[in-house]
Amino acid sequence: MSEYTKIYLEENEIPTRWYNIIADLPEPPPPALHPGTMKPATAEDFAPLFPLALIEQEVSQERYIDIPGEVLDVYRLWRPSPLFRARRLEKLLDTPAKIFYKYEGVSPAGSHKPNTAVPQAWYNAQEGIKKLTTETGAGQWGSSLAFACSQFGLECEIWQVAASYRSKPYRRTMMEIWGGKVHSSPSEVTEYGRSLLANNPDHPGSLGIAISEAVSEAAVNPEVRYALGSVLNHVLLHQTIIGEEALLQLAKVGEIPDILVGCTGGGSNFGGLAFPFLREKMAGNMNPVIRCVEPAACPTLTRGEYRYDFGDTAGLTPLMKMHTLGHSFIPEPIHAGGLRYHGMAPLVSHIYELGLVEAISIPQIECFDGALKFAKSEGIVPAPEPTHAIAAAIREALACKESGEEKTILTALCGHGHLDLAAYDKYLQGEIVDLDLSDEDIAMYMKDIPTVD
Amino acid sequence: MSEYTKIYLEENEIPTRWYNIIADLPEPPPPALHPGTMKPATAEDFAPLFPLALIEQEVSQERYIDIPGEVLDVYRLWRPSPLFRARRLEKLLDTPAKIFYKYEGVSPAGSHKPNTAVPQAWYNAQEGIKKLTTETGAGQWGSSLAFACSQFGLECEIWQVAASYRSKPYRRTMMEIWGGKVHSSPSEVTEYGRSLLANNPDHPGSLGIAISEAVSEAAVNPEVRYALGSVLNHVLLHQTIIGEEALLQLAKVGEIPDILVGCTGGGSNFGGLAFPFLREKMAGNMNPVIRCVEPAACPTLTRGEYRYDFGDTAGLTPLMKMHTLGHSFIPEPIHAGGLRYHGMAPLVSHIYELGLVEAISIPQIECFDGALKFAKSEGIVPAPEPTHAIAAAIREALACKESGEEKTILTALCGHGHLDLAAYDKYLQGEIVDLDLSDEDIAMYMKDIPTVD
């Protein structure tokens, strides 16, 4: 046990470029479509929502994009993040496999989300924007954006899914500490919100609804833009700093992964870790199996369809070609594992279609069971989202125990669970159950997806 | 801003010895007294509560004590902890001072407490102990000990102050994730607890009461010992790893502190940071002002008396000579800043009496105001306890702004506030007020202190 536990990089070893995997793909992902004309969306179509610099990144063909110096300065508040060798988990599992996890919970918000919140806030500030709007579910993204806005003097207005707003008051407090203004969604602030509350004053809300509210607020004010925490190309681009660091860290100890597993909700944590490794795989430098892990309760890649759909519930956003369960899909409330978005990042969906990555889904009891094993051995209490990645890593490690293979397994622990302990409490009380999502249920939501020729 | 933000050490640079300041003091601290005989307590008196190795450390005169290899292995899950240069806070304050903070929130429990929980659990396991009991208030110590016990296969039973047990359910969940068994204190499990509940079924509890319950449970079972998270010499000893690392880190950037400020509740965080610097000061290698910072609502050093008192409310522990407000003192419920113990570590009290350190108290609104400035600039949301240290550092930095001095200020950010957001919520809602603790109030509690010749 006296060998290394963590692999650190020096601050001056932080990668200074994000990696744009589009430059290396055999074919580009299909374009987004304007929701009115159903024609490929132009930069002008996106301009009311995003600053020009981010629109350029969204469609860029450049392989590498420089990280601005002021963004790197903020990254240094927590980056480089540590890469851990999970020696104690390996011992608990009695596996010959080596398990590595890249830990993003060291950021002020406790997750990987600030990796993109910070550059998004910075680019908006550079273009004279005064306020950003966004949605949040459990609150990880909203708190990350509030933190990022506080660094550059921007206001931040957040629509939080009502069910979370009511049951997770502390995430709201965290957003407010950093100066964020938080609404329960549906809210009285937007026309769409008011229309939903008129029908149901206790409406639990959804991510898609909160996106609609945040987008509608930004669209009508030239000094306000919208920020999305996952799904889009530029978001995944910013997250590649995770994988770039992990490549450097593994190289320091002479390790190459045989398998990489990452949890996938909107796709940004997975893309952030996996894309730099996929580049190395496409270049023939390594040959890891790369696998998406999603919750059985929201199985966009494994059971959704690959087709054009809206990013939000009201249909205000451009249509994106992605694996989707339908923009009106909402996971069952009993699902406590996060990763609740109805679609998958178009870029992850495209890469999956190209056969470059695999996907599996895991039911939530197995995820929480893995999380407890992890907490008792490695110490860190994981956020519910990465418990999917941990459960997948444990599956692999136990398979190695059977086969005797000494595989090197890499995963991302994208956040800690300090603000998600209610989910663990439910698990410890035996209130977490695995749900069967029927084909009929999925087909019902699919009917709402518009038809695109 | 492109210079360093954090100063890291490599894992192989972790100090391998704890520092015992008693070896360097001009006179030793007064001994603890047996509560029955009022004679100096012997090793046998402590044996029902603590393992022999820790009793030896409690009275050791050795300057350095080696950290066991298996303890170092667990430390490596989060140590060395980073030392930050608070460049963004400096900029916000527009001060010429340099502010450094040692951040202990990177541990699995989110505070400095595991630094002693881990060796305490290990030494007990080495002596064949099966279970540790302890008390906890907000839950930082209880969760740290539960984590530590999980690493060495010990059971952990925790009495949590009832007011916290009811208002902070998530800390209980965290303890349970690591396998801890948690009681609300006063509890039905102990005779003392039952007697208090008989008088008041809604008794809010206190740290002193919870200590009494945990001690009484350990005292009657030879396979069970008790663990304390602060106050005692061996606890402060284990925490010196904080200051030893900080010395190495400051040396890497050629800095020497002009002033060191640390928050003091029981004294372990302060002692952990300050004692190695005090050694260097006594040796003539540097000359920092070293200052304890305590809450105005629980001012043990600045308004308590230096005399023998019990460590717990029921009077079961040995008497210790310390600054105390009386063992029946309980801070007002409106006080949200932690650091609620009625006494101060005998070793810190002794050093204060020797004139080696200073002490001030700060009211809580100033502390939360400082914490918000800190969170908006440095990102991290501090636990309520270190907001006292932050407020003191801000006072110093603003004094430097007035005087133009470029002082180097060092403090410890001993934990993050992710599980204390209710206190911030109260502050943001304007529900936090500063209380005047009258001399009459203090005198009332002082009457309960036994007289020792």
Side-chain angles (χ1 to χ4, degrees), chain B residues 227-246:
Chain B
L228 191 64
S230 191
V231 178
L232 298 179
N233 297 347
H234 68 270
V235 179
L236 275 59
L237 172 81
H238 300 154
Q239 293 293 356
T240 58
I241 192 156
I242 301 172
E244 295 289 6
E245 284 184 4

Side-chain angles (χ1 to χ4, degrees), chain A residues 105-387:
Chain A
V106 290
S107 80
S111 77
H112 68 297
K113 296 283 186 183
N115 294 334
T116 184
V118 171
Q120 288 195 51
W122 186 80
Y123 285 116
N124 274 285
Q126 289 302 106
E127 296 187 20
I129 299 304
K130 303 297 182 203
K131 182 164 86 176
L132 290 181
T133 67
T134 199
E135 76 292 335
T136 200
Q140 286 189 341
W141 168 242
S143 55
S144 299
L145 193 68
F147 156 67
C149 285
S150 77
Q151 289 290 319
F152 302 114
L154 290 172
E155 291 176 61
C156 187
E157 196 164 351
I158 301 150
W159 278 260
Q160 183 174 23
V161 175
S164 293
Y165 183 91
R166 292 170 202 149
S167 66
K168 302 191 173 187
Y170 298 131
R171 280 279 188 194
R172 174 180 55 71
T173 303
M174 204 166 191
M175 296 184 247
E176 290 173 350
I177 287 171
W178 284 314
K181 183 174 178 185
V182 188
H183 307 284
S184 176
S185 169
S187 74
E188 294 287 354
V189 180
T190 69
E191 194 179 326
Y192 183 52
R194 286 189 295 272
S195 73
L196 295 173
L197 289 175
N199 284 328
N200 179 5
D202 297 321
H203 199 298
S206 74
L207 267 182
I209 292 167
I211 294 174
S212 298
E213 293 202 274
V215 162
S216 68
E217 183 72 7
V220 297
N221 189 330
E223 291 195 328
V224 179
R225 292 289 182 278
Y226 166 73
L228 191 64
S230 190
V231 178
L232 298 179
N233 297 347
H234 68 270
V235 178
L236 276 60
L237 172 80
H238 300 154
Q239 293 292 357
T240 58
I241 191 153
I242 301 172
E244 295 289 6
E245 284 185 3
L247 272 171
L248 295 175
Q249 287 164 313
L250 284 176
K252 287 204 174 195
V253 291
E255 296 284 350
I256 293 172
D258 297 302
I259 177 156
L260 184 160
V261 288
C263 66
T264 43
S268 75
N269 163 68
F270 174 82
L273 177 68
F275 288 176
F277 286 87
L278 192 49
R279 174 189 67 217
E280 299 304 315
K281 181 174 179 171
M282 290 188 288
N285 297 326
M286 55 177 68
N287 194 27
V289 170
I290 301 181
R291 188 173 294 153
C292 303
V293 188
E294 58 187 15
C298 191
T300 50
L301 280 172
T302 52
R303 298 180 71 188
E305 287 184 29
Y306 183 55
R307 54 187 289 192
Y308 275 102
D309 194 7
F310 292 111
D312 70 325
T313 305
L316 301 179
T317 69
L319 290 114
M320 296 174 288
K321 192 156 185 186
M322 59 183 178
H323 278 264
T324 179
L325 295 160
H327 59 274
S328 54
F329 178 84
I330 303 175
E332 291 291 325
I334 189 72
H335 172 60
L339 311 171
R340 303 173 66 88
Y341 189 62
H342 69 271
M344 177 52 59
L347 200 44
V348 172
S349 299
H350 177 60
I351 286 167
Y352 179 61
E353 285 298 309
L354 291 172
L356 296 171
V357 300
E358 305 177 356
I360 59 170
S361 73
I362 298 189
Q364 63 179 344
I365 287 178
E366 181 179 345
C367 294
F368 279 98
D369 178 69
L372 255 67
K373 285 191 172 69
F374 189 89
K376 285 179 180 168
S377 53
E378 295 295 311
I380 299 167
V381 177
E385 292 81 358
T387 65

Side-chain angles (χ1 to χ4, degrees), chain A residues 1 4-6 11 73-74 76-77 79 84 88 151 170 177-178 375-377 379 416 418-419 421, chain B residues 1 4-6 11 73-74 76-77 79 84 88 151 170 177-178 375-377 379 416 418 421:
Chain A
M1 280 271 192
Y4 69 86
T5 300
K6 304 177 292 305
E11 280 192 353
D73 283 341
V74 180
R76 284 194 190 94
L77 290 174
R79 306 209 71 86
F84 283 79
R88 289 167 183 274
Q151 289 290 319
Y170 298 131
I177 287 171
W178 284 314
K376 285 179 180 168
S377 53
H416 63 61
H418 297 164
L419 292 160
L421 292 169
Chain B
M1 282 271 191
Y4 70 87
T5 299
K6 304 178 293 303
E11 280 192 353
D73 283 341
V74 181
R76 285 195 189 94
L77 290 174
R79 305 208 73 85
F84 283 79
R88 288 166 185 275
Q151 289 290 319
Y170 298 132
I177 286 172
W178 284 313
K376 286 179 179 169
S377 54
H416 63 60
H418 297 164
L421 293 169

Side-chain angles (χ1 to χ4, degrees), chain B residues 78-399:
Chain B
W78 73 95
R79 305 208 73 85
S81 71
L83 180 73
F84 283 79
R85 168 85 186 267
R87 294 184 190 273
R88 288 166 185 275
L89 178 62
E90 293 167 17
K91 190 177 169 193
L92 179 74
L93 300 174
D94 190 23
T95 176
K98 300 174 188 172
I99 305 173
F100 290 88
Y101 60 97
K102 179 77 169 159
Y103 182 44
E104 293 293 310
V106 290
S107 80
S111 77
H112 68 297
K113 297 284 186 183
N115 295 334
T116 184
V118 171
Q120 288 195 50
W122 186 80
Y123 286 115
N124 274 285
Q126 290 302 107
E127 297 188 20
I129 299 305
K130 303 296 182 205
K131 182 164 86 175
L132 291 181
T133 66
T134 199
E135 75 292 336
T136 199
Q140 285 188 341
W141 168 242
S143 55
S144 298
L145 193 67
F147 156 67
C149 286
S150 78
Q151 289 290 319
F152 302 114
L154 291 171
E155 291 176 61
C156 186
E157 196 164 349
I158 302 149
W159 278 262
Q160 183 173 24
V161 175
S164 292
Y165 183 92
R166 293 170 201 148
S167 67
K168 302 191 173 188
Y170 298 132
R171 280 278 189 195
R172 174 181 53 72
T173 304
M174 204 165 190
M175 295 183 247
E176 290 173 349
I177 286 172
W178 284 313
K181 183 175 178 184
V182 187
H183 306 284
S184 177
S185 169
S187 74
E188 294 287 354
V189 180
T190 69
E191 194 179 326
Y192 183 53
R194 285 190 295 272
S195 73
L196 295 173
L197 289 175
N199 284 327
N200 178 5
D202 296 322
H203 200 298
S206 74
L207 266 182
I209 293 167
I211 292 173
S212 299
E213 293 201 273
V215 163
S216 68
E217 182 73 6
V220 296
N221 190 329
E223 292 195 327
V224 179
R225 291 291 180 278
Y226 165 73
L228 191 64
S230 191
V231 178
L232 298 179
N233 297 347
H234 68 270
V235 179
L236 275 59
L237 172 81
H238 300 154
Q239 293 293 356
T240 58
I241 192 156
I242 301 172
E244 295 289 6
E245 284 184 4
L247 273 171
L248 296 175
Q249 288 164 312
L250 284 175
K252 286 205 175 195
V253 292
E255 296 284 350
I256 293 173
D258 297 302
I259 177 155
L260 184 160
V261 288
C263 66
T264 43
S268 75
N269 162 67
F270 175 82
L273 177 68
F275 288 175
F277 286 87
L278 192 49
R279 175 189 66 217
E280 299 304 315
K281 181 175 179 170
M282 291 188 288
N285 297 325
M286 55 176 68
N287 194 27
V289 171
I290 301 181
R291 188 174 292 152
C292 303
V293 188
E294 58 186 16
C298 191
T300 50
L301 281 172
T302 52
R303 298 180 70 188
E305 287 183 30
Y306 184 56
R307 54 187 289 192
Y308 275 100
D309 194 6
F310 293 110
D312 70 324
T313 304
L316 301 180
T317 70
L319 290 115
M320 297 174 288
K321 193 157 185 186
M322 58 182 179
H323 279 265
T324 179
L325 294 161
H327 59 272
S328 55
F329 179 84
I330 302 173
E332 292 291 325
I334 189 73
H335 171 61
L339 311 171
R340 304 173 66 89
Y341 189 61
H342 68 271
M344 177 52 60
L347 200 44
V348 172
S349 299
H350 178 61
I351 286 168
Y352 179 62
E353 285 298 308
L354 291 172
L356 296 171
V357 300
E358 305 177 356
I360 59 170
S361 73
I362 299 189
Q364 62 179 344
I365 288 179
E366 181 179 345
C367 295
F368 279 99
D369 178 67
L372 254 65
K373 285 190 173 69
F374 188 90
K376 286 179 179 169
S377 54
E378 295 295 310
I380 299 166
V381 177
E385 292 82 358
T387 65
H388 296 81
I390 290 167
I394 290 175
R395 279 189 186 182
E396 287 297 320
L398 293 177

